[in-house]
C-alpha cells in the first residue's frame, strides 16, 4: 500500500475480508486505518473502494474513530464481481525475493491461480503462504483487480500432472533452444484456457521434462535466444499468453 | 554474480573491460577473484567465458595467484560479437528498486539501449549510473548476452522526441483504455526497429502525451484491462515487442 502508487484522482482501493453489501459497516485493521488516516490523510466522508473477492467493488466512506481507527460505511456497488478465470502460473519454488516478485507480477498480469511445485533443482520446498497472500492482495489493490490469485499448496510435478484439467493448455518455457517461439505455438490455440510453467534457477534438470511433450495438454515453447531468470520467464510467459489467448485483447473498462 | 544462477555444467561468464584476443592475460578484480576462487571454488585451469561488449565471447582458463587473486588466460573465441541491435526502452525515472528491476529485466529481454526520461510525475530525476551499469552487466553475464544495454543520460520527453530516429517505432503503453491491444498494432509492422516507453507510477499526467499520437513514429497501445506498475508495463511491452518484431522468433544458438 505504497502511497506513491495511488494517484490522488482515484479513490484508494482496499481488500477486506468482510462481506460487502449496502448499509454494512466495516471495521478497518490497524494497517488500513494508518494508511487512510496518516498516509493519505483522508477526512470523514472521503471515498474509498473496497473488494473482498466475492461481492464486487463497493464505494464506501471513511469514518474516523479517533486518531488511529476508522470504519468504512458501504454506499453502493461500483463493479460486479467478475469470474476469476485468468491463466494459471505453475512455478518451481525459488528463492524468496524472486518468488515474491513473480507472485506480484502474476497478479498484475491477471493470473487466477499460482501453483508452486518442487523440482530437483528447487532451492527450497517452502513458501511463506501468509506473505504471498498479502503480496497478491496488495497487487490486486494496485492493479484494480477485484480478486487475487488463489495460491495452491506445494506439490511435485507428477502430482500436478495427475490432476491436470485436460482442457487447459500447459505451456512450458523450454530453454533447450529447440522449442518453437511461444507466439507461433499460441496462434494455433485461440481462446484456450492456459497455464504457463516456469522452472527453477538453472532450469529443469536433464530428464525432468522427458515425456511431458507426449501429454496432450502440454506445449513446449521458446522465449528467445537469451537465458531468462526463472521469474522473468514466468512474467514473459504470462504476458505473451494473455496477449495471444487472454484478456490483453480487452480494453480497460 | 549469484552462484545459484550458474548451473555447474556451464562455465561461468564474466564481463571484463579489457581487450580480448588469443594469448592475452586478464587480471581479475577483487570481486571476480572472490567469485571464482571462493564462491565457485575453481581450480587452476578451470574454464571461464569472458566478454567485453566488443570482441565476442572468449574461453579462458583460471590461473589462481595465491588465495585471493587470479588471472585469466585467453584460449579461443567461442562466439563472435553480435550487433547490439535490440529494442530500446524509454522509461520515466521511478524509484530506485523498481528502476533497477526494470534495467535488469530489460537486459535479459535484449534491450540495446535504456533511455530514462523525466516526466511531471517522476518521483526523482536522478539515476545512479554506476549502479545501473553494474546491474545491466551482471544481467548480461546471467543471460548469456555478449553486450549490455547502453544507458543514456536523463532527458525530457520533448528532448527525446526532437532527436528520435524516424525509422524506429516508439510504442507507448497507454493506460487510458482507448488504445488497441499491443499485438494487434505490431502485427502491422513486422521487422520494424522499435522502442517501448513506460510512464511514471500513476501514469503520465493529463496532457503529457497529447500530440504524440500525431508523430509518424508513435503508436499508442493497450496492455490489458488492469493497471500495471511502471516496471511491469516496461517488461510486458519489451516482451511483446520482442515476440512480435524482435529476436524471440530466433531460437537459442
Amino acid at each position: 500500500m505504497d502511497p506513491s502508487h495511488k494517484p490522488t484522482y482515484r479513490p484508494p482501493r482496499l481488500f477486506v475480508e468482510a462481506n460487502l453489501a449496502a448499509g454494512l459497516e466495516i471495521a478497518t485493521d490497524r494497517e488500513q486505518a494508518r494508511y487512510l488516516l496518516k498516509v493519505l490523510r483522508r477526512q470523514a466522508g472521503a471515498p474509498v473502494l473496497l473488494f473482498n473477492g466475492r461481492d464486487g467493488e463497493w464505494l464506501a466512506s471513511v469514518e474516523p474513530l479517533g486518531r488511529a481507527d476508522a470504519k468504512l460505511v458501504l454506499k453502493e456497488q461500483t463493479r460486479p464481481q467478475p469470474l476469476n478465470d485468468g491463466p494459471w502460473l505453475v512455478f518451481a519454488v525459488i528463492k524468496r525475493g524472486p518468488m515474491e516478485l513473480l507472485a506480484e507480477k502474476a497478479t498484475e498480469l491477471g493470473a487466477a491461480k499460482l501453483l508452486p511445485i518442487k523440482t530437483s533443482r528447487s532451492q527450497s520446498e517452502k513458501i511463506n503462504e501468509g506473505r504471498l497472500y498479502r503480496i497478491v492482495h496488495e497487487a490486486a489493490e494496485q492493479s484494480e483487480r477485484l480478486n487475487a490469485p488463489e495460491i495452491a499448496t506445494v506439490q511435485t510435478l507428477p502430482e500436478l500432472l495427475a490432476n491436470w484439467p485436460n482442457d487447459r493448455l500447459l505451456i512450458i518455457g523450454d530453454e533447450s533452444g529447440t522449442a518453437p517461439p511461444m507466439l507461433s505455438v499460441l496462434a494455433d490455440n485461440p481462446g484456450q484456457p492456459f497455464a504457463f510453467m516456469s522452472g527453477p534457477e538453472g532450469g529443469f534438470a536433464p530428464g525432468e521434462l522427458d515425456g511431458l511433450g507426449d501429454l496432450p495438454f502440454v506445449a513446449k515453447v521458446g522465449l528467445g535466444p537469451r537465458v531468462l531468470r526463472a521469474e522473468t520467464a514466468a512474467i514473459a510467459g504470462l504476458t505473451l499468453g494473455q496477449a495471444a489467448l487472454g484478456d490483453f485483447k480487452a480494453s480497460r473498462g
Side-chain angles (χ1 to χ4, degrees), chain A:
Chain A
M1 297 198 296
D2 181 331
S4 66
H5 298 300
K6 307 277 188 182
T8 50
Y9 48 82
R10 284 187 202 133
R13 296 179 78 253
L14 293 181
F15 171 76
V16 296
E17 302 277 1
N19 294 321
L20 300 174
L24 296 186
E25 299 185 353
I26 313 282
T28 57
D29 63 26
R30 187 183 306 182
E31 174 68 15
Q32 289 167 338
R34 193 191 69 83
Y35 175 63
L36 291 171
L37 302 181
K38 310 259 171 164
V39 178
L40 298 184
R41 298 171 186 275
R42 289 298 192 262
Q43 310 285 329
V48 54
L49 294 169
L50 305 179
F51 67 103
N52 63 4
R54 304 182 303 275
D55 300 323
E57 183 182 67
W58 283 76
L59 178 65
S61 65
V62 177
E63 302 300 335
L65 302 169
R67 291 166 53 91
D69 199 6
K71 65 179 179 181
L72 306 168
V73 179
L74 289 168
K75 303 294 185 191
E76 59 183 3
Q77 194 188 51
T78 47
R79 286 196 283 163
Q81 184 65 36
L83 286 176
N84 199 5
D85 60 355
W88 297 1
L89 177 65
V90 180
F91 60 99
V93 175
I94 52 177
K95 285 189 294 185
R96 199 184 79 173
M99 190 155 58
E100 292 181 355
L101 177 72
L102 173 157
E104 177 185 293
K105 299 312 177 204
T107 305
E108 291 180 65
L109 294 167
K113 202 166 179 177
L114 305 181
L115 299 119
I117 56 171
K118 50 186 168 188
T119 65
S120 62
R121 286 197 181 134
S122 291
Q123 276 99 25
S124 165
E125 297 178 6
K126 287 189 188 148
I127 62 170
N128 183 329
E129 290 177 17
R131 273 188 67 93
L132 283 185
Y133 180 90
R134 189 171 61 75
I135 285 166
V136 299
H137 283 86
E138 285 191 11
E141 291 174 341
Q142 302 279 353
S143 62
E144 303 194 3
R145 280 182 71 162
L146 295 185
N147 43 42
E150 178 190 340
I151 302 168
T153 53
V154 180
Q155 53 191 326
T156 64
L157 187 51
E159 285 167 346
L160 178 88
L161 296 172
N163 295 299
W164 194 261
N166 271 286
D167 62 346
R168 184 172 291 263
L169 186 65
L170 176 59
I171 304 167
I172 302 179
D174 180 352
E175 295 208 333
S176 70
T178 57
M182 182 158 165
L183 275 192
S184 68
V185 174
L186 295 189
D188 299 325
N189 295 282
Q192 174 77 40
F194 75 96
F196 185 83
M197 183 167 98
S198 61
E201 291 298 343
F204 290 99
E208 202 162 20
L209 298 184
D210 282 0
L212 262 68
D214 298 333
L215 293 169
F217 49 82
V218 165
K220 293 186 184 176
V221 301
L223 289 171
R226 285 161 300 277
V227 175
L228 302 181
R229 282 180 187 261
E231 74 278 12
T232 314
I235 297 167
L238 278 179
T239 298
L240 292 172
Q242 285 285 55
L245 310 180
D247 71 5
F248 273 25
K249 293 194 162 115
S251 59
R252 285 182 58 201

